[in-house]
């Protein structure tokens, strides 16, 4: 069985789609914690909007590392709720927003 990565913008239904596919195909769904979920550990005391470029990169790397670790334990097949490409797009857009605000 192949691995499937669900990608799309935030709040577009990726998680719902991943849950449904995992159920119907009977394969595990892999998910990484969101950047906001990682924030208290990675950058204590800050909101996502208060993070500088280096802190955003740190969050992206933490999220990507967690995703890779979860995916590496499932060699037979899985559905990934998100993808590395999505992480890069989110980080890139975050830098643009940060530069405009900063």
């Amino acid at each position: 069985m192949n691995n499937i990565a669900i990608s799309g913008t935030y709040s577009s239904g990726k998680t719902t789609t991943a849950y449904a596919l995992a159920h119907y195909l009977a394969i595990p769904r892999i998910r990484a914690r969101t950047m906001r979920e990682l924030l208290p550990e990675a950058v204590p005391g800050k909101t996502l909007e208060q993070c500088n470029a280096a802190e955003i990169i740190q969050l992206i790397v933490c999220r990507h590392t967690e995703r890779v670790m979860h995916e590496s334990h499932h060699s037979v097949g899985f559905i990934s709720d998100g993808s590395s490409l999505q992480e890069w797009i989110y980080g890139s857009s975050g830098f643009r927003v940060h530069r405009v605000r900063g």
Side-chain angles (χ1 to χ4, degrees), residues 6 30-33 61-72 78 80-84 86-87:
I6 307 295
I30 306 299
R31 147 188 201 284
R33 290 182 293 168
V61 169
C62 287
R63 187 167 152 85
H64 180 69
T65 301
E66 187 173 282
R67 181 183 306 283
V68 169
M69 292 303 295
H70 289 299
E71 290 176 357
S72 69
F78 59 83
S80 181
D81 188 352
S83 66
S84 298
Q86 181 177 326
E87 300 298 332

Side-chain angles (χ1 to χ4, degrees), residues 2-19:
N2 291 327
N3 300 327
I4 301 169
I6 307 295
S7 188
T9 60
Y10 290 87
S11 299
S12 63
K14 292 182 308 296
T15 299
T16 302
T17 301
Y19 272 122

Side-chain angles (χ1 to χ4, degrees), residues 18-65:
Y19 272 122
L21 281 172
H23 173 75
Y24 287 113
L25 297 175
I27 60 175
R29 174 187 159 267
I30 306 299
R31 147 188 201 284
R33 290 182 293 168
T34 67
M35 289 174 66
R36 291 188 194 282
E37 290 171 329
L38 290 167
L39 196 61
E41 295 171 21
V43 191
K46 282 193 172 183
T47 66
L48 194 55
E49 293 74 24
Q50 293 171 325
C51 290
N52 61 36
E55 292 164 336
I56 296 285
I57 290 172
Q58 177 184 355
L59 287 165
I60 291 169
V61 169
C62 287
R63 187 167 152 85
H64 180 69
T65 301

